[in-house]
């Protein structure tokens, strides 16, 4: 029960990411770099591993995380928050696929739940006809990278958690920095409002949300966890409506209920 409660907190935390990223108004790769980098000092206050367990798994997970953030944040400027976030949340499908390839067999109710949630995501992603195809492709690519990243956390349980999380975040920040340098994106020189939202993004969806998700994946199977993160699409859409006045057709809220139903199904008999 404790992990369900922690999962609820994590989903609520990551639901704020789209709003903060949009309001920060920084290039996707820059926002990804600072979201990761600003969270690391706080992480070091929590975890002080005496020795890091070096492994290629968190390094590759960090590369996937960097791609996930960069592609998805950039997609927010080419699609509405509702569409972008619902598409990137299909990472549940890809994480389930990676988990299956790595030996974790999904239960029938988990497969059914993901299918139901994906149907809701499909219809919700079409709730804004003005969406740019480029934004859809960016968020979909971000979903594939996110699927690998989340699945990696489940299959790195032989690495102590402080080592895994620190190496993953450090690696992701490093790869994001390289991307900034290669694309000549400025790391500084942004208005104070941008730094405020970058800081909030690092503190709430990153430090709290993602760290909790990585921890929970050590104790729960991939599909129930990542299917729950599909709830981020609902939370982000509601926040976008309230904060940014990005309103949707009334039927979109029916699709949200379908998504939540799918998430609920994945937990049935999943103990």
């Amino acid at each position: 029960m404790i992990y369900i409660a922690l999962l609820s907190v994590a989903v609520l935390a990551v639901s704020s990411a789209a709003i903060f990223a949009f309001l920060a108004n920084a290039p996707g790769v820059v926002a990804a770099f600072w979201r990761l980098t600003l969270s690391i000092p706080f992480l070091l206050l929590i975890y002080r591993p005496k020795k890091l367990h070096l492994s290629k798994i968190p390094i590759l997970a960090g590369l996937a995380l960097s791609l996930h953030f960069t592609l998805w944040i950039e997609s927010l400027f080419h699609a509405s928050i509702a569409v972008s976030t619902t598409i990137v949340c299909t990472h549940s499908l890809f994480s389930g696929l990676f988990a299956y390839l790595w030996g974790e067999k999904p239960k029938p109710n988990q497969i059914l739940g993901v299918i139901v949630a994906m149907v809701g995501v499909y219809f919700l992603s079409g709730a804004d006809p003005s969406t740019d195809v480029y934004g859809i492709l960016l968020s979909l690519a971000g979903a594939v990278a996110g699927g690998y990243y989340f699945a990696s956390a489940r299959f790195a349980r032989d690495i102590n958690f402080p080592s895994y999380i620190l190496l993953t975040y450090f690696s992701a920040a490093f790869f994001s920095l390289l991307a900034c340098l290669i694309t000549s994106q400025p790391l500084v020189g942004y208005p104070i409002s941008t730094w405020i939202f970058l800081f909030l993004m690092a503190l709430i969806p990153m430090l709290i949300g993602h760290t909790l998700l990585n921890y929970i994946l050590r104790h729960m199977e991939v599909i129930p966890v990542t299917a729950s993160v599909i709830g981020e699409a609902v939370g982000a859409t509601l926040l976008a409506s309230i904060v940014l006045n990005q309103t949707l057709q009334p039927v979109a809220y029916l699709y949200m209920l379908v998504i939540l139903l799918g998430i609920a199904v994945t937990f049935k008999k999943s103990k």
Side-chain angles (χ1 to χ4, degrees):
M1 193 65 183
I2 182 64
Y3 297 118
I4 302 298
L6 290 175
L7 187 54
S8 299
V9 172
V11 172
L12 288 173
V14 296
S15 294
S16 65
I19 300 297
F20 294 148
F22 184 86
L23 292 173
N25 196 30
V29 67
V30 173
F33 170 74
W34 285 115
R35 172 178 180 171
L36 290 155
T37 302
L38 292 174
S39 71
I40 290 174
F42 293 98
L43 198 61
L44 289 171
L45 291 175
I46 301 171
Y47 297 115
R48 300 181 182 86
K50 296 180 180 178
K51 183 179 180 181
L52 288 177
H53 184 164
L54 296 177
S55 169
K56 67 179 182 181
I57 298 177
I59 294 175
L60 291 175
L63 174 59
L65 179 59
S66 174
L67 289 170
H68 171 63
F69 282 162
T70 298
L71 294 167
W72 170 64
I73 293 173
E74 191 62 32
S75 77
L76 292 171
F77 302 103
H78 301 275
S80 68
I81 285 176
V83 171
S84 173
T85 307
T86 51
I87 292 175
V88 83
C89 282
T90 61
H91 60 63
S92 176
L93 181 63
F94 297 108
S95 63
L97 176 60
F98 285 120
Y100 176 77
L101 294 175
W102 293 340
E104 186 169 280
K105 301 295 188 292
K107 297 179 176 64
N109 67 288
Q110 295 173 346
I111 296 174
L112 176 61
V114 169
I115 291 174
V116 171
M118 288 299 112
V119 169
V121 165
Y122 172 78
F123 285 107
L124 184 57
S125 67
D128 181 6
S130 64
T131 293
D132 188 341
V133 174
Y134 182 58
I136 291 176
L137 293 176
L138 284 172
S139 55
L140 183 60
V144 177
Y148 183 91
Y149 157 69
F150 281 118
S152 296
R154 176 67 178 166
F155 296 93
R157 286 169 289 172
D158 58 330
I159 304 174
N160 69 77
F161 185 69
S163 286
Y164 178 79
I165 204 69
L166 283 169
L167 284 173
T168 298
Y169 289 8
F170 268 117
S171 299
F174 173 74
F175 288 121
S176 296
L177 175 60
L178 283 182
C180 288
L181 296 176
I182 292 171
T183 57
S184 300
Q185 294 287 0
L187 292 174
V188 295
Y190 298 98
I192 187 64
S193 60
T194 293
W195 292 108
I196 290 173
F197 290 117
L198 289 174
F199 176 79
L200 289 173
M201 194 162 36
L203 185 62
I204 300 174
M206 190 71 236
L207 184 66
I208 298 174
H210 273 262
T211 305
L212 278 177
L213 289 172
N214 278 284
Y215 176 75
I216 294 164
L217 280 163
R218 294 186 161 235
H219 304 277
M220 293 178 63
E221 294 175 335
V222 170
I223 289 182
V225 175
T226 55
S228 298
V229 182
I230 295 175
E232 177 186 353
V234 177
T237 299
L238 291 174
L239 285 173
S241 176
I242 296 169
V243 178
L244 303 175
N245 198 32
Q246 289 189 2
T247 56
L248 297 174
Q249 302 170 10
V251 72
Y253 299 98
L254 174 61
Y255 303 148
M256 292 182 192
L257 290 177
V258 173
I259 294 171
L260 294 176
L261 174 62
I263 294 171
V265 170
T266 65
F267 282 98
K268 186 178 179 182
K269 300 178 182 177
S270 62
K271 295 181 180 180

